[in-house]
Amino acid sequence: FSVPLCNCMVCLYVILVVRFKCTERFIATRLEPVMQIIVWGYALGTGLLGVFLKLYNSNSSFCWVEQYPHDCSDMPHIKCTRGKNAYFYKWIFAGVTILFSFIIIIVAMTWLYCYILGNRRKMTARYGRSTATNDCQLREVGKQAFLYVAAFVITFVWPMTISIQRHYWITPPVWELACFSLFFPMQGFWNFLIFIRPMYNRVRRQNPDWCCFWVLTAAVSREAKRQQQMQPHRARDSRQWSHKFRMNRILSDCSIQFFPTFRRKDEHHPRNPEIVRSASSPVNDLDRSPLNPEIVHSASSPVN
């Protein structure tokens, strides 16, 4: 049950990038290690603790935290040999984590939607009206946020419901067990479909005669190419978190703005080695002197 924490971290990553404008280098070096420690620490910690306390047993549906024999704590004439206080550890291992992750995901997606809605209202107040593109983007953000929350709910509502029913001696119906077996392993698949959905809609609008399979294949291919093309830009933008680099970039932009003759096509960095080499190379005194007789003679001689 560390998957809900992974979903939490993904939502926090979106908020950090969109709302707080954090660079990928800052997230990768400062925040991602903490996120990885939380997720992996929770997974390994609860897993090893369950093995040490002998909590893992069969509950007639799947193997997880359960008493053995089943519900032995409610039967005074049966002694529990494994899984003591299993109901308490169920809520610690899964219940609290799922509820916490669910709250974080809803808050993050709502915050993202409200942030984009606020920007839309600012643009409306500034320019007098809202464009159709902004309205469409706002609707798409709302749909994406709702789908992510729905994927989380449809995945984890079944194990929670079955666990509560079994605790109160309620036999889950067959259809509920079938939904649990169908939806619980498929959260990654739902997240993939939600992630690829904007590109899928774009390809569908461009090629309305294609079947769904070919549209999905083209959308996955285009998204993969887009991610590959963004890697150099991400690597370049990740260096901008340094204050020194930002100051050098600002000074370089100012020098190019006020002295446009120094701009070159191959200039990508304020400290281009070719420009530095040309600026630091010594100048020949023969070429510097305006009274050089050879230069004067060549200039005054008639053309053959």
Side-chain angles (χ1 to χ4, degrees), residues 168-206:
Y168 290 103
W169 295 81
I170 301 175
T171 302
V174 177
W175 66 268
E176 196 169 310
L177 296 175
C179 290
F180 166 75
S181 302
L182 176 64
F183 292 111
F184 187 68
M186 297 185 65
Q187 187 182 9
F189 180 69
W190 303 133
N191 290 336
F192 162 74
L193 292 180
I194 297 170
F195 175 78
I196 206 66
R197 176 180 166 273
M199 185 62 71
Y200 179 89
N201 293 336
R202 188 180 306 172
V203 176
R204 169 60 71 185
R205 288 192 296 267
Q206 296 174 356

Side-chain angles (χ1 to χ4, degrees), residues 54-276:
K54 299 179 180 180
L55 298 175
Y56 298 127
N57 301 287
S58 176
N59 62 358
S60 72
S61 296
F62 54 92
C63 182
W64 195 50
V65 178
E66 189 59 56
Q67 300 171 348
Y68 184 81
H70 185 63
D71 293 335
C72 58
S73 61
D74 298 329
M75 301 177 183
H77 59 282
I78 298 178
K79 182 180 179 180
C80 294
T81 59
R82 294 172 57 91
K84 295 181 179 180
N85 300 320
Y87 188 72
F88 170 77
Y89 288 107
K90 282 182 182 180
W91 280 101
I92 295 298
F93 288 2
V96 176
T97 306
I98 292 176
L99 292 177
F100 174 78
S101 303
F102 183 67
I103 294 173
I104 293 297
I105 290 174
I106 289 180
V107 171
M109 294 295 99
T110 305
W111 193 0
L112 178 64
Y113 181 81
C114 292
Y115 174 73
I116 297 178
L117 179 61
N119 290 339
R120 173 177 171 272
R121 290 177 177 175
K122 290 180 182 178
M123 294 183 64
T124 304
R126 177 177 296 180
Y127 299 105
R129 62 184 181 87
S130 177
T131 61
T133 303
N134 294 333
D135 296 338
C136 182
Q137 290 178 353
L138 182 62
R139 288 193 299 268
E140 286 297 321
V141 170
K143 291 179 182 178
Q144 288 291 105
F146 173 78
L147 289 175
Y148 274 117
V149 175
F152 183 88
V153 172
I154 201 174
T155 301
F156 291 100
V157 68
W158 309 110
M160 292 288 293
T161 305
I162 292 175
S163 299
I164 294 174
Q165 288 175 346
R166 289 189 181 279
H167 178 73
Y168 290 103
W169 295 81
I170 301 175
T171 302
V174 177
W175 66 268
E176 196 169 310
L177 296 175
C179 290
F180 166 75
S181 302
L182 176 64
F183 292 111
F184 187 68
M186 297 185 65
Q187 187 182 9
F189 180 69
W190 303 133
N191 290 336
F192 162 74
L193 292 180
I194 297 170
F195 175 78
I196 206 66
R197 176 180 166 273
M199 185 62 71
Y200 179 89
N201 293 336
R202 188 180 306 172
V203 176
R204 169 60 71 185
R205 288 192 296 267
Q206 296 174 356
N207 305 277
D209 298 333
W210 287 9
C211 65
C212 298
F213 175 77
W214 291 113
V215 173
L216 180 62
T217 304
V220 173
S221 177
R222 292 188 184 182
E223 186 65 31
K225 291 181 181 179
R226 191 178 72 89
Q227 295 295 330
Q228 292 178 358
Q229 293 174 358
M230 290 177 62
Q231 290 299 326
H233 299 284
R234 290 173 178 173
R236 183 184 60 206
D237 295 339
S238 64
R239 297 193 301 267
Q240 297 182 4
W241 73 279
S242 172
H243 177 71
K244 182 178 179 180
F245 180 82
R246 287 201 301 267
M247 292 302 297
N248 291 336
R249 188 65 179 269
I250 292 173
L251 293 176
S252 175
D253 293 342
C254 292
S255 63
I256 291 175
Q257 180 180 1
F258 292 103
F259 303 99
T261 57
F262 290 98
R263 181 187 293 272
R264 293 187 178 184
K265 295 182 179 180
D266 57 349
E267 182 179 358
H268 298 288
H269 194 274
R271 296 189 61 83
N272 192 346
E274 295 183 5
I275 298 176
V276 173

